[in-house]
Amino acid sequence: MKTRAITGFFFTIVMIGSFLLGHNVFGAFYLLLSGFCLYEFYTLIKKETAAPNIVAGLLSGALIYAAFAFITYDASLTPAGESSMRIGHTLLFLVPLGVIIVFIFELFKISVAPFANIGYTLLGVVFVVIPFTFFHALAYVSGPYTVHIPLGFLLLLWSNDTGAYLVGMSIGRTKLFERHSPKKTWEGFIGGVVISAAVGYIISLYFPELSWKNWVSVAILISCFGTLGDLVESMFKRSINIKDSGTILPGHGGLLDRFDGLLLAAPVVYTYLYFAVNV
């Protein structure tokens, strides 16, 4: 428990620092984080029959993340902003080349299941990297760069996890999805929704970019789709007979274990806010 607490403390400090040091550090930090998560995903897959192409997958993922990072960057139509948009569009046109490289590399490998390798390589990019591009875009969904919305997203994600754990441990009886996650209960899920919604209202008092109704709506979406992401990652780990996705975070497991809720929640939350804020 002590190791878990120390690791969680320092990792939280690093993440908060990535928000406060400006948009360049923020973008670079989550590019690296998505790359490490993708590498972890590929490493787990290699324990089974498929052998994803790590180099080609990381290259494709980096191109996709960078392209959308430059496109979503908003400098209020200054020359820097227009230049960023051009760079983003250039990188976007290079994305198909990154995908083609996956196929080319497989042509020169000796493999009994080449399309399984290709499929897992591209699945990793879709499942891991693209959600991080949506999370990065949250910093610009209401206009110029602001740390409040992505930071609020993480606070709500952590609030839901903590609330679901505490309520589930106290009064949890009815299993939520026992086949993939035996410890999760409906009582814990409802507790996580209620606590994250309450935290969403509190956040609205300090982060005025969104109204309290939007913050509470985001909290509910995070609770639902964050839990779904957790279940999907549990299904993935059970399919390859492992408990944790890695050991990079002592006491916490791997990076995918820490960000499984983000993978499905970030695209949904960004889509909701894009229309709620801009329409």
Side-chain angles (χ1 to χ4, degrees):
M1 184 62 72
K2 182 179 179 181
T3 301
R4 181 182 177 88
I6 293 173
T7 302
F9 174 77
F10 282 106
F11 189 63
T12 301
I13 294 298
V14 170
M15 292 188 65
I16 292 176
S18 72
F19 289 112
L20 301 181
L21 293 176
H23 70 90
N24 288 325
V25 174
F26 173 72
F29 177 78
Y30 282 95
L31 171 60
L32 288 174
L33 190 59
S34 65
F36 280 120
C37 287
L38 182 58
Y39 179 81
E40 191 174 85
F41 177 86
Y42 288 152
T43 302
L44 294 174
I45 291 296
K46 288 184 70 174
K47 292 180 180 179
E48 294 298 296
T49 56
N53 192 301
I54 295 177
V55 174
L58 290 174
L59 174 62
S60 298
L63 281 173
I64 291 173
Y65 181 99
F68 284 101
F70 279 108
I71 290 173
T72 55
Y73 170 69
D74 180 9
S76 301
L77 299 181
T78 63
E82 295 175 359
S83 175
S84 173
M85 188 71 72
R86 287 196 296 271
I87 293 172
H89 285 141
T90 300
L91 291 174
L92 193 60
F93 281 109
L94 292 177
V95 169
L97 295 180
V99 175
I100 290 172
I101 288 175
V102 176
F103 288 86
I104 293 175
F105 277 18
E106 201 61 38
L107 283 174
F108 291 92
K109 289 172 60 177
I110 299 176
S111 173
V112 297
F115 277 90
N117 299 338
I118 293 170
Y120 277 116
T121 302
L122 298 180
L123 173 64
V125 175
V126 173
F127 181 60
V128 178
V129 176
I130 289 181
F132 275 99
T133 68
F134 279 97
F135 177 76
H136 173 269
L138 286 173
Y140 306 92
V141 71
S142 63
Y145 174 73
T146 174
V147 302
H148 289 170
I149 296 178
L151 179 57
F153 177 99
L154 290 181
L155 291 174
L156 292 174
L157 186 64
W158 295 335
S159 297
N160 173 69
D161 290 345
T162 303
Y165 174 78
L166 294 176
V167 174
M169 288 290 292
S170 301
I171 61 173
R173 298 292 183 273
T174 310
K175 300 299 182 182
L176 177 64
F177 215 121
E178 189 171 10
R179 181 157 58 94
H180 296 304
S181 188
K183 294 182 179 180
K184 281 186 170 52
T185 63
W186 277 103
E187 293 84 356
F189 170 72
I190 294 171
V193 172
V194 172
I195 290 175
S196 62
V199 172
Y201 177 77
I202 295 171
I203 289 175
S204 72
L205 303 178
Y206 298 94
F207 295 172
E209 286 83 359
L210 302 176
S211 67
W212 72 268
K213 293 181 180 179
N214 280 332
W215 275 119
V216 171
S217 297
V218 167
I220 295 172
L221 288 174
I222 288 175
S223 295
C224 294
F225 288 92
T227 301
L228 184 61
D230 189 296
L231 290 170
V232 169
E233 203 237 356
S234 294
M235 177 177 65
F236 167 63
K237 289 189 296 185
R238 285 181 178 277
S239 71
I240 55 177
N241 298 314
I242 62 167
K243 182 179 183 294
D244 295 321
S245 64
T247 58
I248 192 172
L249 299 174
H252 289 264
L255 289 171
L256 285 176
D257 292 325
R258 295 304 93 205
F259 291 98
D260 51 7
L262 179 149
L263 299 181
L264 295 187
V268 174
V269 169
Y270 177 83
T271 302
Y272 165 75
L273 288 180
Y274 180 83
F275 290 104
V277 173
N278 296 307
V279 175

